[in-house]
Amino acid sequence: MAKRILICDDAAFMRMMIKDILTKNGYEIAAEAENGLKAVEKYTETKPDLVMMDITMPEMDGIQALKKIKQVDAAANIIMCSAMGQQAMVIESIQSGARDFIVKPFNQDRVLEAVKKAVG
């Protein structure tokens, strides 16, 4: 059965890019969220195998959402995505339980490598 992934990014274009890469490679999109609050909500509704989470978003940023999801499900697999130059946030997200980190703009091979590493 295909692994189900929740995509969370405030930019519809970024969600579309990630969705395109994943669906072409046999993954199923469990849901999409445009901010951290929605991500936490959708996570509890859909129980995906993996979350692709942007760091910088309105309402609730990716790191806060990561921490909330980890409270709900300590075993949650979350990969953080962000633009260059956010080293402190990368470190905080890994310390908060993120499995990996991908830098934008996305490189398809890097996205797939991170996903495979996180969910097999």
Side-chain angles (χ1 to χ4, degrees), residues 5-40:
I5 301 173
L6 166 61
I7 300 171
C8 184
D9 196 307
D10 57 325
F13 174 73
M14 285 298 173
R15 291 197 307 270
M16 193 180 73
M17 273 181 64
I18 298 169
K19 186 158 87 176
D20 191 50
I21 292 170
L22 296 173
T23 53
K24 277 186 188 155
N25 287 279
Y27 295 96
E28 186 186 316
I29 305 309
E32 292 183 37
E34 63 279 357
N35 62 52
L37 277 176
K38 287 263 191 284
V40 175

Side-chain angles (χ1 to χ4, degrees), residues 54-74:
D54 185 23
I55 287 183
T56 315
M57 292 182 293
E59 301 206 37
M60 181 191 287
D61 70 32
I63 294 172
Q64 288 175 296
L66 162 74
K67 290 174 179 172
K68 285 238 187 290
I69 290 171
K70 282 294 201 178
Q71 285 170 358
V72 173
D73 179 3

Side-chain angles (χ1 to χ4, degrees), residues 83-109:
M84 288 292 220
Q86 294 182 311
Q87 259 40 47
M89 289 176 162
V90 174
I91 292 163
E92 187 181 348
S93 60
I94 297 294
Q95 287 170 342
S96 299
R99 294 290 301 265
D100 206 341
F101 182 82
I102 302 171
V103 175
K104 295 176 183 177
F106 298 118
N107 168 311
Q108 178 170 317
D109 294 337

